[in-house]
Amino acid sequence: MKKYLMKGNEAIAEAAIRANCRHYFGYPITPSTEIIEYMATKMAKVGGTFVQAESEVAAIYMVFGSAGSGKRVMTASSSTGISLKQEGLSYMAANELPAVVVNIMRTGPGLGGLGPSQADYFQATKGGGHGDYRLIVLAPSSVQEMADFIIDGFDLADIHRNPVMILADGVLGQMMEPVTFKEYEPIAVDKSWATTGAEGRERNVISSYNLQNEAGETKALYLEEKYRKMAEAEQRWESYLMADAEYAFVAYGTSARIVKGAVEELREKGMKVGMIRPITLWPFPKNAFTPYFNQIKGYMVVEMSAGQMIEDVKLTVNGIAPVEFYSRQGGITPQHKEIIEKFEAVFCTQGVFA
Amino acid sequence: MKKYLMKGNEAIAEAAIRANCRHYFGYPITPSTEIIEYMATKMAKVGGTFVQAESEVAAIYMVFGSAGSGKRVMTASSSTGISLKQEGLSYMAANELPAVVVNIMRTGPGLGGLGPSQADYFQATKGGGHGDYRLIVLAPSSVQEMADFIIDGFDLADIHRNPVMILADGVLGQMMEPVTFKEYEPIAVDKSWATTGAEGRERNVISSYNLQNEAGETKALYLEEKYRKMAEAEQRWESYLMADAEYAFVAYGTSARIVKGAVEELREKGMKVGMIRPITLWPFPKNAFTPYFNQIKGYMVVEMSAGQMIEDVKLTVNGIAPVEFYSRQGGITPQHKEIIEKFEAVFCTQGVFA
Amino acid sequence: MKKYLMKGNEAIAEAAIRANCRHYFGYPITPSTEIIEYMATKMAKVGGTFVQAESEVAAIYMVFGSAGSGKRVMTASSSTGISLKQEGLSYMAANELPAVVVNIMRTGPGLGGLGPSQADYFQATKGGGHGDYRLIVLAPSSVQEMADFIIDGFDLADIHRNPVMILADGVLGQMMEPVTFKEYEPIAVDKSWATTGAEGRERNVISSYNLQNEAGETKALYLEEKYRKMAEAEQRWESYLMADAEYAFVAYGTSARIVKGAVEELREKGMKVGMIRPITLWPFPKNAFTPYFNQIKGYMVVEMSAGQMIEDVKLTVNGIAPVEFYSRQGGITPQHKEIIEKFEAVFCTQGVFA
Amino acid sequence: MKKYLMKGNEAIAEAAIRANCRHYFGYPITPSTEIIEYMATKMAKVGGTFVQAESEVAAIYMVFGSAGSGKRVMTASSSTGISLKQEGLSYMAANELPAVVVNIMRTGPGLGGLGPSQADYFQATKGGGHGDYRLIVLAPSSVQEMADFIIDGFDLADIHRNPVMILADGVLGQMMEPVTFKEYEPIAVDKSWATTGAEGRERNVISSYNLQNEAGETKALYLEEKYRKMAEAEQRWESYLMADAEYAFVAYGTSARIVKGAVEELREKGMKVGMIRPITLWPFPKNAFTPYFNQIKGYMVVEMSAGQMIEDVKLTVNGIAPVEFYSRQGGITPQHKEIIEKFEAVFCTQGVFA
């Protein structure tokens, strides 16, 4: 297969086109701008539709409209722009509309800075919008995964009729790595629910309004069960050197790339450490942890935030072993050395490992 | 003190005016509309400023502007409208701007319905916007508390330079109960940071932009420490019949009103049950739980959602005892009988309590 | 050629598609709504792009963007919506962007009513937006002309690189008449100025910003000369029974349909009357009047407004003969009888005609 | 009276406050920005309300709202921003709402430039918005008049229940001249129509919607008659050296300042020239011309546009004498010398004047 040297943001855009995404609506914001630029240029060439919308709010509702007509559609933004889309995302989940939404995180809160961050984990996984709903959240940690997860994301969105978020950061978005694009094989999906003109059939209606509380509860229970099944079926993760590990790091995305190096250095020092890398942030991959419950003496979560995923790790571990934390913030990435020092300070009794 | 018979929404608006709030910007949405209507009528009479904004997004940024000039300012909306304000709330927290934001929750996700709900707990407490930030979230469970917490809310906002959210629902907003308004005693707050024209002094600048990552991390660590101190200082809760309780319900707002009745019925049956009612949802009142860790054999969380606060309860209890759940959704409130049945089904061994 | 029985609004939409218009951006408003509905359905089928925009302002700037990339693009609205587009129209004229904009007039000012009106003549012809600019304004008076003028409009827009407005009213928009669509023969137009990606060529820049006053004046004089040439080349009108006329009616659109009947009745009574029907409202067809300057003793302008086109008639006639006026307003169309009575009251000396 | 040295824009803002304007809503744009800046600083000090709106469209509808509640309210913008307000202005005229709207013209069309211009005359006087409506348009030509006309403007707006526009340009807005503010004496105006809460009286309704055509026509005729009376009552102009003039210049605003100098130079050369300076652009001061119909052999209109007011001059003169034109555009102001040369080239037969 042909190899391309591309930025992560470009790989995302190219992969979307190869996954038959022909509608893109967005608004430019650093560090996600290469995605909209790529789409602005390429969509016309493949006969697609591209609109730079008036605002982030307008963009997400154009995505809503296209998704409602059964088209593969994508948008991308960064942190502050994604906040503006929260109402739309809640509406899309409520209406079971498939789409791929990319968040190339920058630092926050507020205007923040352009550096990389992982501080939108809560927003992505707990639902930044109102009501009980869930997005499938995929966290790539390489340019190759950015391409792959876009293609997977469109399929998952169609299969579950649910928005899928790709959660990455500016390091991954700007990084150039070799990438190959797998031949996309269209999946069979029934989109008979889509509003496509109603010629020769009953009208389809897309609405999340429930005037009667009973209907509202029926809908809520339906969604709850749908999310339960998705949570069961779609957990994804990478286990790294976990077979004999006594201590486990937990990290995703850019942090996981760095932690992997720290794990290797600690192994060289003789320490039995491994890493669980959640790939789906929602559903959180609890199944990645259960096989090691009797084996792991302590966990260390590494995030570029004040501590968000750590809550899901604690909820999973549920008090069986301590869950520690290391982070850098404000656009600064953690370093091997720091991670190792923190690990040793927390878990290594005097003389044993030191 | 004079007693008034008022709707919860009206009590909120009246209390705000008594707490010297003279700026209100909002957009009407059921079931919070009485608040904006009350303000539309009363603000002119007290020499205040009222604007029905072009959109929810416009409204929150008007709140931003007024707060930045050091004024007491409020807005209110319901669920879907609050989602549109997430960017603005992240900006306000990042810029440390005090304001009171009211969410009279309706059902979601999407357009949902007009019935009561508690499904915006995650959005309110984990940060629906981007980045690491926190709102103080107060959850009243009576019209009297709606009035009281507004006044407390303005003080807390000023003291901590942080937005405060009042999280209630349509049952509380529409319910009429007697209410008294305590004489408001202005607190001394230094607002020398406000942008008020810079005559005879250095310019103040309100900005959340950090071009340098080092400055970004310094800011992030500053906020983290601020939130840690707030979490320590501001936990509020009600303990109901907990002294000898062996089982504890956990519920807030409208749910807590109902659970209280169920607790009383269970007590009449001889069961040693109590209730912890979180009043601050953030900071979550962990201190309410610790005194009872050795005493409580099981917790039951009751929410009008698919289960959101239960995560904070589990994070607090950390595996020491089981945490069970009961809920109604879609605008339906749980009933005593249902709660009792669920409690007995889960916790009562044969013959012991039955 | 095949005959279709269609509403005027539908004929407009169908004609646009036949004239290779593949981009439509708009916002629905009575009495133009059939146009956007038709486009919503048909654009997908012909591989075009359709967006119902967030607002009238958003819609005109989407038209700007598509026109800038050299595509044939159309929008439509009614009166109040067209007012919101005035900034955009000024920008499009300044940037010499071809597009067709349809105004199916309703009554104004303000929200007005849904009835037909001709009270947007000034806005269309004098420039409702800022600065010196001109739109070519075509005023159909039948469903057939609505179809024909759309096709002509796209050609005129491309030839002159200028927005073209179709100015009609709700009577014409809702009226059903037989219509044939001439085979569209694409004209050769150089669009090398369009912003299409700049591959293998210099970048094109579309901008109306002139920081230097000298450049501003050069641009202004260029446009002035362009409009002068357009005014010379593009005047269109219908002369009806003018050869021996001593009195002339002047009317356009729906009014002209009615006046034609009045002229016929007056002719039957022996009065030598004719009608000049401006088809281009800008450029105003002065050339229609000059051949009759020595012959016409009086003009009567009939409009469904308080008197707007009458100014252009007076400017043309320049005091040579009296210019009288008859109108109905508020959505009411004038009647033959009224027009004849007014004509006789004004122009017929006792006994001569009566 | 105290003299102040102020920019025209500042004089406008200060005069508004002295005329009891306590509400200002706007959006900044060069060359009108000093007005909004002044208001941002001063409104708080006088207990007024100031909002920098989300957009020009939002600003004009805030003006609508305040005016509807009977308050004195103002907004200001420049050319392109005024275009965005056309819908709102039509609505305000239709609803008979008094307000003062300032247009400090920059060059257009489109983004244009920051230099002075008079190319928004048509927009201001013919109605840039939809439907038959009129604004009173006052054109100051000094800083003193900018102050005076604001005060007059608020009175005229209240007396006629109609929006009043102040039409000036960047030269006047930026120019510093001595100015005195006359003591404002509030006029008695009945505002019992305002929507102020309806306590103890019938509800007032402000609406421009007419579902029935008959009601629509009644309203249209009412407005037509109102405008006719305003046109009769409110014409204002300055006649300069017209008593024995054989030739007359016609100019307003900045152009009139310059023409006055040219007139003086021509007088020194012995030429009997004068100037009519329209102060109200609508109603156009026809009464300024009629006394001289038998005396003036030729008119020369001087504008900083491609020729807009010239149409009203021609409509007034109606062919009795030739109407010539001189202009500079794109932000360039005409010079004495140029004007004199043009005058001589057009009107001076050989040897007579030269």
Side-chain angles (χ1 to χ4, degrees):
Chain A
M1 244 181 317
K2 197 173 164 194
K3 271 216 161 108
Y4 301 84
L5 187 65
M6 291 180 106
K7 282 190 180 188
N9 282 341
E10 294 166 347
I12 279 175
E14 178 61 28
I17 289 172
R18 288 172 185 241
N20 287 340
C21 169
R22 289 294 177 275
H23 292 74
Y24 187 93
F25 307 101
Y27 191 87
I29 175 171
T30 302
S32 70
T33 304
E34 290 86 358
I35 300 174
I36 193 171
E37 285 176 345
Y38 198 97
M39 288 302 197
T41 306
K42 289 290 167 65
M43 269 299 174
K45 295 186 181 160
V46 297
T49 295
F50 169 91
V51 180
Q52 179 175 324
E54 193 182 353
S55 67
E56 296 278 6
V57 177
I60 194 66
Y61 281 105
M62 290 178 184
V63 171
F64 183 111
S66 275
S69 72
K71 306 301 185 202
R72 289 202 152 181
V73 56
M74 186 166 90
T75 190
S77 189
S78 292
S79 296
T80 179
I82 296 291
S83 289
L84 285 164
K85 295 180 186 304
Q86 291 307 314
E87 189 202 39
L89 288 171
S90 173
Y91 271 71
M92 291 186 70
N95 285 291
E96 299 192 87
L97 296 179
V100 172
V101 177
V102 179
N103 182 1
I104 305 296
M105 289 180 279
R106 52 190 275 174
T107 65
L111 187 50
L114 308 180
S117 170
Q118 296 184 316
D120 302 349
Y121 178 96
F122 275 150
Q123 187 190 58
T125 62
K126 305 293 175 189
H130 60 289
D132 289 294
Y133 72 94
R134 299 292 187 175
L135 311 178
I136 294 178
V137 183
L138 295 165
S141 75
S142 65
V143 173
Q144 183 61 53
E145 283 191 348
M146 288 176 103
D148 292 345
F149 291 0
I150 286 289
I151 293 170
D152 294 354
F154 275 107
D155 286 352
L156 288 168
D158 276 349
I159 290 164
H160 295 290
R161 288 190 59 189
N162 209 70
V164 169
M165 178 170 279
I166 307 297
L167 193 71
D169 61 56
V171 165
L172 290 165
Q174 306 299 326
M175 174 188 288
M176 293 191 88
E177 288 185 328
V179 58
T180 59
F181 296 96
K182 52 185 172 189
E183 189 72 33
Y184 177 64
E185 294 183 20
I187 58 169
V189 178
D190 172 24
K191 293 206 174 176
S192 60
W193 49 264
T195 52
T196 56
E199 282 181 32
R201 62 163 170 79
E202 290 289 294
R203 288 173 64 217
N204 287 329
V205 175
I206 293 177
S207 167
S208 58
Y209 190 47
N210 298 298
L211 203 50
Q212 303 301 325
N213 292 342
E214 289 71 23
E217 190 166 53
T218 303
K219 172 73 176 291
L221 294 173
Y222 163 76
L223 286 178
E224 194 178 340
E225 176 62 11
K226 166 176 159 171
Y227 298 138
R228 199 193 55 72
K229 283 184 184 157
M230 284 160 69
E232 206 170 82
E234 301 297 354
Q235 297 176 31
R236 298 185 185 196
W237 69 89
E238 178 193 5
S239 293
Y240 185 65
L241 304 179
M242 285 296 293
D244 64 342
E246 296 178 355
Y247 293 88
F249 283 93
V250 190
Y252 70 95
T254 293
S255 295
R257 288 176 75 101
I258 299 163
V259 167
K260 195 172 265 189
V263 166
E264 284 161 7
E265 285 191 37
L266 285 164
R267 280 277 172 180
E268 281 170 23
K269 289 186 175 193
M271 288 182 249
K272 289 185 173 169
V273 297
M275 176 178 73
I276 291 170
R277 173 167 75 93
I279 288 174
T280 50
L281 303 184
W282 194 92
F284 188 74
K286 300 193 173 214
N287 297 340
F289 292 77
T290 38
Y292 307 105
F293 273 171
N294 296 326
Q295 172 185 328
I296 299 299
K297 298 175 184 164
Y299 299 84
M300 177 162 287
V301 178
V302 180
E303 295 182 70
M304 300 191 305
S305 80
Q308 301 194 0
M309 183 177 68
I310 189 175
E311 290 201 359
D312 281 329
V313 176
K314 284 184 171 172
L315 286 166
T316 301
V317 172
N318 202 26
I320 296 176
V323 179
E324 302 291 336
F325 187 63
Y326 185 69
S327 80
R328 292 303 298 271
Q329 297 184 59
I332 295 177
T333 48
Q335 302 300 314
H336 292 189
K337 195 164 161 297
E338 300 163 10
I339 295 169
I340 291 167
E341 280 171 12
K342 173 78 177 189
F343 179 84
E344 291 177 343
V346 167
F347 288 125
C348 302
T349 49
Q350 59 281 20
V352 174
F353 279 134
Chain B
M1 245 180 317
K2 196 173 165 194
K3 271 219 163 105
Y4 300 85
L5 188 65
M6 292 180 105
K7 283 190 180 188
N9 282 340
E10 294 166 347
I12 279 175
E14 179 61 28
I17 289 171
R18 288 171 184 243
N20 288 340
C21 170
R22 290 293 177 274
H23 293 74
Y24 187 92
F25 308 100
Y27 191 88
I29 175 171
T30 303
S32 69
T33 304
E34 290 87 358
I35 301 174
I36 193 171
E37 285 176 345
Y38 197 96
M39 289 302 198
T41 306
K42 289 289 167 65
M43 269 298 174
K45 295 186 180 159
V46 297
T49 295
F50 169 90
V51 180
Q52 179 174 325
E54 192 183 354
S55 68
E56 296 278 7
V57 176
I60 193 66
Y61 282 105
M62 290 178 184
V63 171
F64 184 111
S66 276
S69 72
K71 306 301 184 204
R72 288 203 152 180
V73 56
M74 187 165 90
T75 190
S77 189
S78 293
S79 296
T80 179
I82 296 291
S83 290
L84 284 164
K85 294 181 187 303
Q86 292 306 316
E87 189 202 40
L89 288 171
S90 173
Y91 271 72
M92 291 187 70
N95 286 290
E96 299 190 85
L97 296 179
V100 172
V101 176
V102 179
N103 182 1
I104 305 297
M105 289 181 279
R106 54 191 273 173
T107 65
L111 187 50
L114 308 180
S117 171
Q118 297 184 316
D120 302 349
Y121 178 96
F122 276 151
Q123 187 191 57
T125 62
K126 304 294 174 187
H130 60 289
D132 290 293
Y133 72 94
R134 298 292 187 177
L135 311 178
I136 294 177
V137 183
L138 294 165
S141 75
S142 66
V143 173
Q144 183 61 55
E145 283 191 346
M146 287 177 105
D148 293 345
F149 291 179
I150 286 288
I151 294 170
D152 295 354
F154 275 109
D155 287 352
L156 288 169
D158 277 349
I159 291 165
H160 295 291
R161 289 190 59 189
N162 208 68
V164 168
M165 178 170 280
I166 307 298
L167 193 71
D169 61 57
V171 165
L172 291 164
Q174 305 300 326
M175 173 188 289
M176 293 191 89
E177 287 185 329
V179 60
T180 59
F181 295 95
K182 52 185 171 189
E183 188 72 33
Y184 177 64
E185 294 183 21
I187 57 169
V189 178
D190 173 25
K191 292 206 174 176
S192 61
W193 49 264
T195 51
T196 56
E199 283 181 31
R201 62 161 170 80
E202 290 289 295
R203 289 173 62 215
N204 287 327
V205 174
I206 293 177
S207 167
S208 58
Y209 190 46
N210 299 298
L211 203 51
Q212 303 300 326
N213 292 341
E214 289 71 23
E217 190 166 52
T218 302
K219 172 72 175 292
L221 295 173
Y222 162 77
L223 287 178
E224 193 177 339
E225 176 62 11
K226 167 176 159 171
Y227 297 138
R228 199 192 56 71
K229 283 184 184 158
M230 284 160 69
E232 206 169 82
E234 301 297 355
Q235 297 177 31
R236 299 186 185 196
W237 67 91
E238 178 193 5
S239 292
Y240 184 65
L241 304 180
M242 285 296 292
D244 65 342
E246 296 178 355
Y247 293 88
F249 284 94
V250 190
Y252 70 96
T254 293
S255 295
R257 288 177 75 101
I258 300 162
V259 167
K260 196 172 265 188
V263 166
E264 284 161 6
E265 285 192 37
L266 284 164
R267 280 276 173 182
E268 282 171 22
K269 290 188 177 191
M271 290 182 248
K272 290 187 173 166
V273 297
M275 176 178 73
I276 292 170
R277 172 169 75 94
I279 288 174
T280 50
L281 303 185
W282 193 92
F284 189 74
K286 299 193 175 219
N287 296 341
F289 292 77
T290 39
Y292 307 105
F293 272 170
N294 296 325
Q295 172 184 327
I296 299 299
K297 298 176 186 163
Y299 299 85
M300 176 162 288
V301 179
V302 179
E303 296 183 70
M304 301 191 303
S305 80
Q308 301 194 359
M309 183 177 67
I310 190 175
E311 290 203 358
D312 282 328
V313 176
K314 284 185 171 172
L315 286 166
T316 301
V317 171
N318 202 27
I320 296 175
V323 180
E324 301 292 338
F325 186 64
Y326 185 69
S327 80
R328 291 302 300 269
Q329 297 184 60
I332 295 177
T333 49
Q335 303 300 315
H336 291 189
K337 195 165 161 296
E338 300 163 9
I339 295 168
I340 292 166
E341 280 171 12
K342 173 78 176 189
F343 177 85
E344 292 176 343
V346 167
F347 287 125
C348 301
T349 50
Q350 60 281 21
V352 174
F353 280 134
Chain C
M1 248 180 316
K2 198 174 162 193
K3 270 218 163 109
Y4 301 84
L5 188 64
M6 292 180 105
K7 282 190 180 187
N9 283 341
E10 294 166 347
I12 279 175
E14 178 61 28
I17 290 171
R18 289 173 184 242
N20 287 341
C21 170
R22 289 294 177 273
H23 293 74
Y24 186 92
F25 308 100
Y27 191 87
I29 176 171
T30 302
S32 70
T33 304
E34 290 87 359
I35 300 174
I36 194 171
E37 286 176 346
Y38 198 96
M39 287 303 197
T41 306
K42 290 289 168 65
M43 268 298 173
K45 296 186 180 159
V46 297
T49 296
F50 168 90
V51 180
Q52 180 175 325
E54 192 182 354
S55 67
E56 295 278 8
V57 176
I60 193 66
Y61 282 105
M62 290 178 182
V63 171
F64 184 111
S66 275
S69 72
K71 306 300 184 204
R72 288 202 152 182
V73 56
M74 187 166 90
T75 190
S77 189
S78 292
S79 296
T80 179
I82 296 290
S83 290
L84 285 164
K85 294 182 187 301
Q86 292 306 316
E87 189 202 41
L89 288 171
S90 173
Y91 271 70
M92 291 187 71
N95 286 290
E96 298 190 87
L97 296 179
V100 172
V101 176
V102 179
N103 182 1
I104 305 297
M105 289 180 279
R106 53 191 273 174
T107 65
L111 187 50
L114 308 181
S117 171
Q118 296 184 317
D120 302 349
Y121 178 95
F122 275 150
Q123 187 191 58
T125 62
K126 304 293 173 187
H130 60 288
D132 290 293
Y133 72 93
R134 298 292 186 175
L135 311 178
I136 294 177
V137 183
L138 295 164
S141 75
S142 67
V143 174
Q144 183 61 54
E145 283 191 346
M146 287 177 105
D148 294 344
F149 292 180
I150 286 288
I151 294 170
D152 294 354
F154 275 108
D155 286 352
L156 287 168
D158 277 349
I159 291 165
H160 295 291
R161 289 190 59 188
N162 208 69
V164 168
M165 178 169 279
I166 308 297
L167 193 70
D169 62 58
V171 165
L172 291 165
Q174 305 300 326
M175 173 188 289
M176 293 190 88
E177 287 186 329
V179 59
T180 59
F181 296 95
K182 53 185 169 188
E183 189 72 32
Y184 177 64
E185 295 182 20
I187 57 169
V189 179
D190 173 25
K191 292 206 174 176
S192 60
W193 49 264
T195 51
T196 55
E199 282 180 32
R201 61 162 170 80
E202 289 290 294
R203 289 173 63 215
N204 287 328
V205 174
I206 293 177
S207 167
S208 58
Y209 190 46
N210 299 297
L211 204 52
Q212 303 300 327
N213 292 341
E214 289 70 22
E217 190 166 53
T218 301
K219 172 73 176 291
L221 295 173
Y222 163 77
L223 287 178
E224 193 177 339
E225 176 63 11
K226 167 176 159 172
Y227 297 137
R228 198 193 56 70
K229 282 183 185 158
M230 284 159 70
E232 205 168 82
E234 300 297 352
Q235 296 177 31
R236 297 185 185 195
W237 68 90
E238 178 193 4
S239 292
Y240 185 66
L241 304 180
M242 285 296 292
D244 65 341
E246 295 178 357
Y247 293 89
F249 284 95
V250 190
Y252 70 96
T254 293
S255 295
R257 286 176 76 102
I258 299 163
V259 167
K260 195 173 266 190
V263 166
E264 283 161 7
E265 286 192 37
L266 284 165
R267 280 276 173 181
E268 281 171 22
K269 290 189 176 191
M271 289 181 247
K272 290 186 172 167
V273 297
M275 176 178 72
I276 292 170
R277 173 168 75 94
I279 289 174
T280 50
L281 303 185
W282 194 91
F284 189 74
K286 300 194 173 216
N287 296 341
F289 292 77
T290 37
Y292 307 105
F293 272 170
N294 296 326
Q295 171 184 330
I296 299 299
K297 298 175 187 163
Y299 298 84
M300 176 162 289
V301 178
V302 179
E303 295 182 70
M304 300 190 305
S305 81
Q308 300 193 0
M309 183 176 68
I310 189 175
E311 290 201 359
D312 282 328
V313 176
K314 283 185 172 172
L315 285 166
T316 302
V317 172
N318 202 26
I320 296 176
V323 180
E324 301 292 338
F325 187 62
Y326 185 69
S327 80
R328 292 304 297 270
Q329 297 183 61
I332 295 177
T333 48
Q335 303 300 314
H336 291 189
K337 194 166 163 295
E338 300 163 9
I339 295 168
I340 291 167
E341 280 172 11
K342 173 78 177 190
F343 178 85
E344 292 177 343
V346 167
F347 288 124
C348 301
T349 49
Q350 59 280 23
V352 174
F353 280 134
Chain D
M1 246 181 317
K2 197 174 163 193
K3 271 218 160 105
Y4 300 84
L5 187 65
M6 291 181 106
K7 281 189 181 189
N9 282 341
E10 294 166 348
I12 279 175
E14 178 61 28
I17 289 172
R18 289 173 185 243
N20 287 340
C21 170
R22 289 295 177 275
H23 293 74
Y24 187 92
F25 307 100
Y27 191 88
I29 175 172
T30 302
S32 70
T33 304
E34 289 87 358
I35 301 173
I36 194 171
E37 285 176 345
Y38 197 97
M39 288 303 197
T41 306
K42 290 288 167 66
M43 268 298 174
K45 296 186 180 160
V46 297
T49 295
F50 169 91
V51 180
Q52 180 175 325
E54 192 182 355
S55 67
E56 295 278 6
V57 177
I60 193 66
Y61 281 104
M62 290 178 183
V63 170
F64 184 111
S66 275
S69 72
K71 306 301 185 203
R72 288 202 152 182
V73 56
M74 187 167 90
T75 190
S77 189
S78 293
S79 297
T80 179
I82 296 291
S83 290
L84 284 164
K85 294 182 187 303
Q86 291 307 315
E87 189 202 40
L89 288 170
S90 173
Y91 271 71
M92 291 188 69
N95 285 290
E96 299 191 86
L97 295 179
V100 173
V101 176
V102 178
N103 182 1
I104 305 296
M105 289 181 278
R106 53 191 274 173
T107 64
L111 187 50
L114 308 180
S117 171
Q118 297 184 317
D120 301 349
Y121 178 95
F122 275 150
Q123 186 190 59
T125 62
K126 304 294 174 187
H130 60 288
D132 289 293
Y133 72 93
R134 298 294 186 174
L135 311 178
I136 295 177
V137 183
L138 294 165
S141 74
S142 66
V143 173
Q144 183 60 54
E145 283 190 347
M146 287 176 105
D148 292 346
F149 291 0
I150 285 289
I151 294 171
D152 295 353
F154 275 108
D155 286 353
L156 288 168
D158 276 349
I159 291 164
H160 295 292
R161 289 191 59 188
N162 208 70
V164 168
M165 179 170 279
I166 308 297
L167 193 71
D169 62 57
V171 165
L172 291 164
Q174 305 299 326
M175 174 188 289
M176 293 192 88
E177 287 185 330
V179 59
T180 59
F181 296 95
K182 53 185 169 189
E183 189 72 32
Y184 177 64
E185 294 183 20
I187 57 170
V189 178
D190 173 25
K191 292 206 174 177
S192 61
W193 49 264
T195 52
T196 55
E199 284 180 32
R201 61 161 170 79
E202 289 290 294
R203 289 173 64 215
N204 288 328
V205 175
I206 293 177
S207 167
S208 58
Y209 190 46
N210 298 297
L211 204 50
Q212 303 301 326
N213 293 342
E214 289 69 24
E217 190 166 52
T218 301
K219 172 73 176 289
L221 294 173
Y222 163 77
L223 286 179
E224 194 178 338
E225 177 62 11
K226 167 176 159 171
Y227 297 137
R228 198 194 55 73
K229 282 183 185 159
M230 284 160 69
E232 206 169 82
E234 300 297 354
Q235 297 177 31
R236 298 185 186 196
W237 68 90
E238 178 193 5
S239 292
Y240 184 65
L241 304 180
M242 285 296 291
D244 64 341
E246 295 177 357
Y247 293 88
F249 283 94
V250 189
Y252 71 95
T254 292
S255 295
R257 287 175 77 101
I258 299 163
V259 166
K260 195 172 264 189
V263 166
E264 284 160 7
E265 285 192 36
L266 284 164
R267 279 277 172 181
E268 282 171 23
K269 288 187 176 192
M271 287 181 249
K272 289 185 172 168
V273 297
M275 176 178 73
I276 293 170
R277 173 167 76 93
I279 288 174
T280 50
L281 303 184
W282 193 93
F284 189 73
K286 299 192 175 219
N287 297 341
F289 292 77
T290 37
Y292 307 106
F293 272 170
N294 296 325
Q295 171 186 330
I296 299 299
K297 298 175 185 163
Y299 299 84
M300 176 162 287
V301 178
V302 179
E303 295 182 72
M304 300 190 305
S305 80
Q308 301 193 1
M309 183 176 68
I310 189 174
E311 289 201 0
D312 281 328
V313 176
K314 284 185 172 172
L315 286 165
T316 301
V317 172
N318 202 24
I320 296 176
V323 179
E324 301 292 336
F325 187 62
Y326 185 69
S327 80
R328 292 305 296 269
Q329 297 184 60
I332 295 178
T333 48
Q335 303 300 314
H336 291 189
K337 195 165 162 297
E338 298 163 10
I339 295 168
I340 291 167
E341 279 172 11
K342 174 77 177 188
F343 178 85
E344 291 178 344
V346 167
F347 287 125
C348 302
T349 49
Q350 59 280 19
V352 175
F353 279 134

